[in-house]
Amino acid sequence: MIKILAACGAGVNSSHQIKDALEKEMKARGYNVSCDAVMIKDITEGMLAHYDIFAQIAKTDLGFEVKIPVVDAGPILYRMPAMAKPVYDAVEKVIKDNGLS
């Protein structure tokens, strides 16, 4: 199972939209993905060590080096397929490039 962490400011809306969208699209593309949603302020280096991909809503300085692939997932929130597709493609590329499938 591929584990993705989505994060936003409050961890209750945008990150959950990203979570739901990524799980649905990656399943449709044939990947077994589980995504969690959290408040960005709660992310620690130890937490990220348990995930394969970090789907951030916007570029964020977490105060430490992120050692897993990062995908900017904010465009998913516009609910426009033309804006979301590049995010899905980027996640799929990370999966393939890192042998996560």
Side-chain angles (χ1 to χ4, degrees), residues 40-80:
I40 201 146
K41 73 170 187 60
D42 292 338
I43 296 175
T44 64
E45 201 167 0
M47 176 189 285
L48 278 178
H50 298 283
Y51 292 91
D52 300 304
I53 301 170
F54 176 40
Q56 63 183 4
I57 190 170
K59 293 189 187 307
T60 305
D61 181 0
L62 296 173
F64 57 85
E65 179 184 352
V66 176
K67 297 176 182 168
I68 61 173
V70 178
V71 174
D72 292 327
I76 287 174
L77 300 174
Y78 292 99
R79 298 177 188 244
M80 295 175 58

Side-chain angles (χ1 to χ4, degrees), residues 29 31 87-99:
R29 293 182 183 206
Y31 299 104
V87 175
Y88 302 140
D89 291 347
V91 170
E92 185 171 31
K93 183 176 184 331
V94 167
I95 291 169
K96 288 180 177 177
D97 289 352
N98 292 280

Side-chain angles (χ1 to χ4, degrees), residues 6-20 35-39 57 77:
C8 69
V12 294
N13 190 1
S14 299
S15 58
H16 282 271
Q17 290 181 46
I18 290 169
K19 165 191 165 32
D20 293 342
C35 187
D36 293 324
V38 298
M39 292 176 70
I57 190 170
L77 300 174

